[in-house]
Amino acid sequence: VDYKHEGVRNTMLAFAKEVLERYEVDGIELDWMRHCLVFKPDEAEENAPLLTDFIAKLRKVIDEAAMQRGQDKLLFGIRVPQTVEECQMLGFDVRGWAQAGVDYICLSDFHCIDFNIQVDKFAELVRGTECELFPSIYATKSIGGSKRRGLTHEEFRAAANNFYAFGAQGVSPYNFYTQFMIFPGNEFGEAPPDFLLDEWPKALEYLTALRDPKAVAAGDKHYLFYPLHLNKCPTGARKHQVIELTRSDQPPAGSTRLRIADDLADSRWQATLEFKVAGMVEGDKLSVAINGKPYADNKVQRSLDADGQSKNEGREIAPFYLYHVNLSSPPAVFGDNTLQLQLKNSTGTEDLVAQEFEVRVRRVNAGG
């Protein structure tokens, strides 16, 4: 549907009113990640005021339903892409919505968990309003990954820590049913027969553990910075977080952003960085730098995985070198860090692709 047309907007208001009248729901959430195009792409930004007006009218419908029930309030939330740029491109005026009385915004990828969400940019948009931010957590690391889905407590904790530290009030599960599902024959196979009886309750432990920001910050964390989509995601944005080193470039170099909401200068924490580089041969030498400060060669370790990574292990990757770096502060900082790679000595023929960046932060000293 195209929300440019008044008939579409009025029909959606009527749908919402019917739900509120017929069922004792707690409120209305608009899921505009499934699917995210509500205008023609070349008309979205100019039509944004129409959508903001629709949001204000829907707020009024929800408030009227609350009054008829004798309740103080019913909730109104909206799920949107996780970058401000995508929201603007789609005609989503988040600030205008917050001012119109939306209670919460869920920042979401279409299907993958994103540890790099810049929650602070959205916090600035909703500043001065009562609108809260609930970035999304998923059980999927990247599209095209392992048939066995699911994240660990440390991985969920790392994502939530990044969200809380930059202005989120909570987290929102999205497509969370995949946390304990096994996909036997294809990417989206059927759940095992005992899924609902046995596996589902375990998922609640993961959610409960993320409710307390202080407990999240105090625990060990495993940050993942994976390519979310192989090409473009449904919004049209490219979220393929890799560093491509083209041998013909002078010099072959690239960078990526890693958000880490931990104070690595605190002696109670120890952090390590790992990533995989495909297309590399033994004679190649790679320079690794964080925030413009290179690590000495003896501080960087690498090992060859001659078999590569199969689909049963994750995303398929050709034979690669696994790099291991002990992070320290400085140069690593709380918040956004720039990882820079440069091919210092090139002896191979294939271009290099560095990917699947992982940062583990572990408590080593309980004192202080």
Side-chain angles (χ1 to χ4, degrees), residues 41-53:
D42 60 347
E43 299 177 350
E45 292 191 52
E46 65 182 274
N47 285 331
L50 296 176
L51 205 59
T52 303
D53 179 68

Side-chain angles (χ1 to χ4, degrees), residues 217-221 266-270 361-368:
D220 291 349
K221 305 171 197 74
D266 189 329
S267 62
R268 293 174 295 181
W269 298 105
Q270 183 180 74
V361 179
R362 300 191 179 281
R363 185 176 290 272
V364 293
N365 180 7

Side-chain angles (χ1 to χ4, degrees), residues 228-266:
L228 302 187
H229 297 270
L230 299 180
N231 294 303
K232 291 183 178 180
C233 71
T235 66
R238 190 170 189 263
K239 300 174 182 178
H240 191 51
Q241 189 169 6
V242 301
I243 298 178
E244 298 173 338
L245 303 177
T246 304
R247 291 185 188 269
S248 60
D249 289 347
Q250 294 299 324
S255 64
T256 194
R257 180 174 63 87
L258 311 176
R259 174 163 284 198
I260 308 167
D262 281 292
D263 181 7
L264 302 184
D266 189 329

Side-chain angles (χ1 to χ4, degrees), residues 173-189:
Y174 197 45
N175 290 321
F176 199 72
Y177 66 92
T178 61
Q179 173 62 19
F180 290 98
M181 290 183 71
I182 300 174
F183 299 86
N186 53 59
E187 193 171 15
F188 294 100

Side-chain angles (χ1 to χ4, degrees), residues 32 38-39 44-45 47-53 55 78 80 84 86-100 102 105 122 125-126 131:
W32 280 343
V38 299
F39 296 118
E45 292 191 52
N47 285 331
L50 296 176
L51 205 59
T52 303
D53 179 68
I55 295 301
I78 309 179
V80 302
V84 171
E86 287 172 282
C87 289
Q88 292 172 339
M89 176 185 68
L90 294 168
F92 296 169
D93 178 14
V94 173
R95 180 165 183 78
W97 298 353
Q99 293 172 339
V102 169
I105 300 289
F122 285 90
L125 290 179
V126 303
C131 184

Side-chain angles (χ1 to χ4, degrees), residues 126-367:
V126 303
R127 192 180 306 280
T129 73
E130 296 183 2
C131 184
E132 297 184 315
L133 300 175
F134 301 124
S136 297
I137 57 168
Y138 303 73
T140 307
K141 301 174 184 178
S142 65
I143 295 296
S146 174
K147 297 173 185 175
R148 172 64 177 177
R149 306 282 175 121
L151 274 70
T152 65
H153 279 288
E154 289 76 14
E155 290 164 347
F156 281 126
R157 190 181 294 128
N161 189 53
N162 271 356
F163 301 158
Y164 284 129
F166 287 92
Q169 284 73 41
V171 298
S172 171
Y174 197 45
N175 290 321
F176 199 72
Y177 66 92
T178 61
Q179 173 62 19
F180 290 98
M181 290 183 71
I182 300 174
F183 299 86
N186 53 59
E187 193 171 15
F188 294 100
E190 296 181 356
D194 61 351
F195 172 67
L196 291 177
L197 295 177
D198 181 45
E199 301 295 345
W200 164 242
K202 297 177 183 177
L204 300 180
E205 299 175 9
Y206 287 75
L207 299 181
T208 303
L210 300 180
R211 294 186 62 181
D212 182 355
K214 291 183 179 179
V216 166
D220 291 349
K221 305 171 197 74
H222 186 184
Y223 296 88
L224 306 176
F225 305 96
Y226 279 26
L228 302 187
H229 297 270
L230 299 180
N231 294 303
K232 291 183 178 180
C233 71
T235 66
R238 190 170 189 263
K239 300 174 182 178
H240 191 51
Q241 189 169 6
V242 301
I243 298 178
E244 298 173 338
L245 303 177
T246 304
R247 291 185 188 269
S248 60
D249 289 347
Q250 294 299 324
S255 64
T256 194
R257 180 174 63 87
L258 311 176
R259 174 163 284 198
I260 308 167
D262 281 292
D263 181 7
L264 302 184
D266 189 329
S267 62
R268 293 174 295 181
W269 298 105
Q270 183 180 74
T272 59
L273 164 67
E274 288 188 347
F275 56 91
K276 299 160 185 174
V277 183
M280 173 174 276
V281 298
E282 185 177 359
D284 290 334
K285 300 296 182 184
L286 201 63
S287 171
V288 180
I290 294 287
N291 301 323
K293 297 182 179 180
Y295 283 86
D297 290 343
N298 61 359
K299 299 293 184 181
V300 178
Q301 301 174 340
R302 71 173 189 176
S303 57
L304 175 64
D305 189 323
D307 296 327
Q309 185 166 280
S310 70
K311 191 168 184 177
N312 287 331
E313 296 172 301
R315 294 173 58 254
E316 289 185 279
I317 302 177
F320 61 85
Y321 276 90
L322 177 66
Y323 272 75
H324 181 95
V325 182
N326 285 321
L327 291 183
S328 57
S329 181
V333 298
F334 181 101
D336 290 332
N337 292 268
T338 301
L339 170 65
Q340 299 143 308
L341 303 180
Q342 182 175 334
L343 187 58
K344 304 289 287 186
N345 186 51
S346 177
T347 63
T349 57
E350 292 184 44
D351 292 335
L352 279 58
V353 179
Q355 57 200 299
E356 297 199 355
F357 309 97
E358 303 187 11
V359 175
R360 296 178 185 270
V361 179
R362 300 191 179 281
R363 185 176 290 272
V364 293
N365 180 7

Side-chain angles (χ1 to χ4, degrees), residues 2-19:
D2 185 347
Y3 278 72
K4 175 179 70 174
H5 302 289
E6 184 178 9
V8 168
R9 301 195 301 275
N10 288 341
T11 298
M12 297 306 296
L13 289 172
F15 286 163
K17 186 176 181 180
E18 180 182 351
V19 169

